[in-house]
Amino acid sequence: MENKMSRIVMKFGGTSVGSVERINHVAKIVKSEVDLGNQIVVVLSAMAGETDKLINLTKDLSKSFENSEYDVVISSGEQVSAGALSGLLNSQGIKAQSRLGWQIPIVTSGDHKSARIEAIHSKELINLLELNEVIIIPGFQGINSEGRITTLGRGGSDTSAVAIAAAIDADFCDIYTDVDGVYTSDPNKVATAKRLDKISYEEMLEMASLGAKVLQTRSVETAMNNDVVLRVLSSFSDIGEDKNGTLVCDEDSIADKKIVTGVAASTNDAKLTLIGIKDKPGVAAEILSVLADDGINVDMIVQNISDDRKTTDLTCTVPSDESIRAKELMEGLSSNLSYKDLIVDTNISKISIVGVGMRSNAGVASQMFRVLSENNINIDVISTSEIKISVLINKDLTEKALNTLHDHFELGNISN
Ligand code: ASP
Ligand code: MG
């Protein structure tokens, strides 16, 4: 792919290093880049399923397992992968060495379980690269200013890879996974979904937060803020096969801007409706702050005025696994915030269309609503951002909505 020497960060996810066979295949992919004369840093996830196992171990030991030790336990899966690949490469005559997060160091904020990377000391990494040593770094882990091990939140190895790419000024950050790129929609639900050649950071951010699981949302943010060019590639294709993949890059590097780039569904939300709350200033703020104070993330919000002009209905969505807690909090509201009824609906799905072209094209929302209505799909709640329109619909109609919208915006016909 590259004709001059490039500096590349190659990140492999859990399924890519999930077995002896897969780790051997990763070694071949790394070797193929080394043979081209490229400087390589490899960032690895734990073997598939390993992090879950380690989390369960802490839960089995104690319901109140110390967060700092939790990070020591769950960061160990990545250490195993890094040592394993490095040892294997060495046995094949490829000079490689593993460097753990604290050895580099990758310095993070203090918050255990979801720390943020603050600094990466890259000087020694660069020296090793200049000596043609392959560096293997476990993702997901760092060290805080108190010298304690931290982890970056689930899926955090993507963010490690991007931050390292920024720190060493890499030409590319290649994210190898079990799919060959980012698709116009979920190929398991939309048969005509197509792989995108390129997608902008902003679109990818929306798609990632809508549940397109290829990249951790924070890693896309980090790439966007540091101009790191990401390539999403499959580690399951054969060596030498054309690596197509998807380039995640700046909007200006995409010549052919589509109005709609992707259609996504997220089925992990619950809808909460409070009926007949008092219509006076401050009520919505108070209700939402009760949820916020408990760390519950509210996504969509709508408020309707009711007939008598004295009361109103408020609808919002929260992650479905927090809906029971949210309901309890609503039931405990003070009498000042009384309401007539509370309805919790988990049989909903959020369908979103995403595209940077929406900024300069009016009428996309009305097209979306018309297509849904022509297909007898009722819209419950609507929310929009500059490059996204989301609607809530009945969960049973998820695939129908995805497919009709995908067809209408002709996403199956994009030329790659
Ligand atoms: N192993 C960690 C997880 O499963 C981090 C990662 O794979 O990105 O969340
Ligand atoms: Mg991942």
Side-chain angles (χ1 to χ4, degrees):
M1 202 178 245
E2 309 78 28
N3 35 29
K4 73 170 199 6
M5 184 277 282
S6 302
R7 184 175 285 170
I8 307 175
V9 172
M10 307 172 75
K11 186 260 167 181
F12 295 90
T15 48
S16 301
V17 292
S19 65
V20 169
E21 188 202 344
R22 295 311 327 157
I23 298 175
N24 268 292
H25 192 67
V26 167
K28 283 193 193 131
I29 301 174
V30 172
K31 182 172 185 301
S32 69
E33 292 291 356
V34 171
D35 288 348
L36 291 172
N38 294 322
Q39 293 185 349
I40 303 296
V41 172
V42 181
V43 176
L44 297 177
S45 283
M47 294 171 75
E50 218 36 58
T51 308
D52 288 334
K53 257 192 235 161
L54 295 165
I55 291 173
N56 287 336
L57 171 65
T58 64
K59 284 190 186 147
D60 290 346
L61 289 168
S62 166
K63 291 263 170 301
S64 51
F65 201 88
E66 174 74 34
N67 281 346
S68 55
E69 299 303 344
Y70 171 96
D71 277 350
V72 175
V73 174
I74 70 161
S75 61
S76 65
E78 270 72 11
Q79 173 166 345
V80 172
S81 306
L85 179 67
S86 189
L88 176 63
L89 288 171
N90 277 305
S91 73
Q92 297 174 346
I94 299 163
K95 271 200 297 179
Q97 62 171 283
S98 60
R99 287 289 164 121
L100 305 183
W102 65 268
Q103 292 175 304
I104 295 174
I106 296 176
V107 182
T108 72
S109 61
D111 29 342
H112 288 287
K113 287 180 152 180
S114 60
R116 281 181 175 267
I117 296 179
E118 286 174 347
I120 297 180
H121 295 252
S122 57
K123 203 162 158 237
E124 191 170 354
L125 296 182
I126 292 171
N127 287 343
L128 288 169
L129 289 174
E130 302 290 353
L131 296 170
N132 291 324
E133 189 103 15
V134 177
I135 307 165
I136 320 277
I137 301 174
F140 188 45
Q141 51 173 254
I143 183 169
N144 67 18
S145 58
E146 272 139 46
R148 304 300 314 266
I149 302 293
T150 52
T151 60
L152 308 180
R154 295 307 303 267
S157 296
D158 292 339
T159 302
S160 306
V162 174
I164 292 165
I168 63 167
D169 203 12
D171 298 293
F172 298 103
C173 181
D174 290 346
I175 306 283
Y176 284 88
T177 176
D178 49 11
V179 291
D180 64 350
V182 181
Y183 278 70
T184 51
S185 194
D186 180 351
N188 296 316
K189 298 199 174 93
V190 178
T192 51
K194 274 202 137 184
R195 188 176 46 74
L196 291 159
D197 249 1
K198 290 184 178 180
I199 185 170
S200 71
Y201 294 121
E202 279 186 69
E203 290 165 325
M204 192 61 232
L205 256 185
E206 295 283 9
M207 298 287 273
S209 61
L210 291 168
K213 295 210 180 55
V214 269
L215 288 170
Q216 195 205 31
T217 310
R218 202 187 277 178
S219 72
V220 186
E221 251 166 45
T222 310
M224 181 159 90
N225 294 338
N226 294 284
D227 285 322
V228 173
V229 178
L230 292 177
R231 296 188 291 196
V232 178
L233 302 164
S234 168
S235 73
F236 284 72
S237 42
D238 287 330
I239 308 292
E241 209 178 296
D242 244 357
K243 298 196 266 186
N244 291 315
T246 300
L247 196 72
V248 186
C249 60
D250 198 83
E251 194 182 319
D252 296 336
S253 328
I254 304 178
D256 154 40
K257 290 189 190 56
K258 296 162 209 86
I259 297 175
V260 176
T261 305
V263 189
S266 122
T267 50
N268 298 321
D269 301 282
K271 185 178 70 168
L272 240 57
T273 307
L274 291 161
I275 295 179
I277 55 175
K278 286 192 190 123
D279 189 19
K280 60 173 190 189
V283 172
E286 254 186 83
I287 292 173
L288 294 172
S289 63
V290 168
L291 296 171
D293 290 347
D294 212 74
I296 297 178
N297 231 327
V298 173
D299 181 24
M300 305 168 104
I301 304 168
V302 275
Q303 197 185 347
N304 294 320
I305 194 87
S306 60
D307 299 341
D308 59 7
R309 299 256 156 189
K310 292 199 183 87
T311 60
T312 173
D313 301 341
L314 180 94
T315 299
C316 64
T317 60
V318 298
S320 50
D321 55 0
E322 307 207 89
S323 63
I324 294 175
R325 179 75 195 131
K327 184 165 182 257
E328 278 167 12
L329 289 168
M330 294 296 102
E331 283 164 354
L333 286 175
S334 68
S335 53
N336 184 33
L337 296 173
S338 63
Y339 52 85
K340 292 198 196 87
D341 204 0
L342 169 63
I343 303 167
V344 180
D345 186 357
T346 51
N347 193 37
I348 53 158
S349 95
K350 181 172 74 176
I351 306 288
S352 310
I353 56 175
V354 175
V356 285
M358 276 186 220
R359 282 202 200 104
S360 46
N361 279 276
V364 183
S366 63
Q367 276 184 57
M368 177 184 193
F369 304 156
R370 186 168 38 77
V371 172
L372 293 173
S373 83
E374 280 166 7
N375 285 279
N376 277 326
I377 300 171
N378 191 42
I379 300 172
D380 252 354
V381 179
I382 300 168
S383 76
T384 61
S385 78
E386 224 191 345
I387 65 160
K388 180 189 75 176
I389 306 166
S390 301
V391 297
L392 275 194
I393 63 163
N394 181 319
K395 200 184 248 175
D396 304 335
L397 301 174
T398 305
E399 289 191 16
K400 185 174 178 192
L402 283 177
N403 279 285
T404 49
L405 289 168
H406 197 266
D407 284 351
H408 175 81
F409 291 105
E410 301 184 339
L411 300 182
N413 303 339
I414 57 162
S415 52
N416 259 341

